[in-house]
Amino acid sequence: MSDSNDDAAKTPEIEPVENGPLRVKGELNLVGADAEGKSVMFLCRCGNSKNKPFCDGSHKKTGFSSERGKPAGRDRLVPFEGEEIVVYFNPMLCAHAAECNRIAAHVFDAKKRPWIEPDKGTREEIEAVIAGCPSGALTMAAKGEDPTHLVPDGPRVTVEKNGPYWVADVELKSPKQGEGMSERKYVLCRCGRSGNKPFCDGTHRDIGWVAE
C-alpha cells in the first residue's frame, strides 16, 4: 500500500510565486522541454530567462510584477447557437492559439461574423475543437444543457513555441479568473505581459514575443 504522503507529493500542482516564476511540483509530463528527473521545477513567466522555459532569476533583474492589469478580452460567455449544439466563447480566456481554426476552419473563422457557425460542422468536429482549445475559452452544450469542457487525459504542461504554457489536469494554486473557466484546463502567461496574470490573454501574439 502506498503512503498517503508519498501520493500527495506526486500529485502535480502549480503555484505562481509573487513577482516570480511558476513553482511546479509533482509528477507530470512537460512537453517541449527536458525535465527528466525533476520533481520540482521553476518555470519562467517574466519572459526574460536565458534558460527558457526554466527560471534563471531574470525576474529579479527586470523588476517583473505578477500584478494583474487589464485583460485583452471581456469576461463574458458568448453563445453561438446551432440547431442542436451551442458553442460558448469567453474572450478573456482566449490565448489565441488558433487551434479552433486549424481543426475546423469551416466552423471557426475569426474573419467572419458570426465567427462560429456550429451547423457548418459535425458534432465530432466541434468536440475535437473543444478538446483542442488549450485555454478552455471554448465550451459546448446540447440545447438546454450546461456548457462542458473536454480535457485531455493525464497531467501535462506543454510549452508552446513563442507562446504560453498549456496546462491540463494540474491543480493551480490561484483563484479562477473568467466565467466558465475550467479548473482542469487553462493557459498560463510566459511572456510576462498578460493583463490577466497568471493566465495568458494573447498579449504574446500582439507584441510579437519570441522565446529565443
Side-chain angles (χ1 to χ4, degrees):
M1 180 179 297
S2 62
D3 186 274
S4 59
N5 291 329
D6 290 341
D7 291 341
K10 294 178 181 179
T11 302
E13 65 177 40
I14 297 176
E15 180 180 5
V17 177
E18 184 177 4
N19 301 329
L22 300 169
R23 182 188 292 114
V24 183
K25 300 179 181 178
E27 296 184 354
L28 55 78
N29 184 18
L30 182 65
V31 182
D34 183 10
E36 186 176 355
K38 293 184 178 181
S39 59
V40 178
M41 297 178 286
F42 291 88
L43 299 180
C44 173
R45 65 174 177 137
C46 73
N48 295 300
S49 173
K50 298 296 189 294
N51 188 35
K52 299 183 185 73
F54 304 106
C55 173
D56 68 353
S58 291
H59 57 278
K60 297 178 181 179
K61 300 175 183 177
T62 60
F64 169 72
S65 172
S66 56
E67 185 176 348
R68 290 185 71 200
K70 181 179 180 181
R74 292 177 59 189
D75 182 18
R76 57 177 183 146
L77 276 182
V78 183
F80 294 85
E81 296 192 13
E83 289 293 326
E84 298 180 357
I85 299 295
V86 182
V87 176
Y88 294 87
F89 173 63
N90 186 329
M92 192 177 84
L93 299 180
C94 184
H96 302 292
E99 290 293 281
C100 54
N101 183 260
R102 182 186 66 81
I103 296 170
H106 56 292
V107 181
F108 299 81
D109 188 345
K111 296 179 181 178
K112 293 183 178 180
R113 291 295 180 270
W115 77 276
I116 302 175
E117 299 179 273
D119 289 340
K120 287 191 174 182
T122 65
R123 183 185 183 96
E124 290 73 21
E125 288 173 325
I126 294 173
E127 287 179 345
V129 169
I130 303 305
C133 174
S135 68
L138 292 170
T139 52
M140 65 179 290
K143 283 197 169 180
E145 298 181 1
D146 293 330
T148 184
H149 292 274
L150 298 176
V151 184
D153 293 330
R156 73 187 69 173
V157 174
T158 300
V159 183
E160 180 188 345
K161 182 179 180 180
N162 300 327
Y165 300 107
W166 300 5
V167 185
D169 261 344
V170 181
E171 181 183 0
L172 179 66
K173 300 295 186 178
S174 181
K176 290 173 61 176
Q177 294 173 4
E179 185 177 358
M181 177 183 169
S182 171
E183 293 183 349
R184 295 184 57 208
K185 182 171 68 171
Y186 50 89
V187 173
L188 298 176
C189 175
R190 190 158 76 103
C191 73
R193 302 282 292 278
S194 172
N196 191 29
K197 296 170 190 166
F199 304 99
C200 170
D201 68 354
T203 296
H204 63 280
R205 185 199 63 171
D206 297 335
I207 65 175
W209 182 78
V210 294
E212 301 301 332

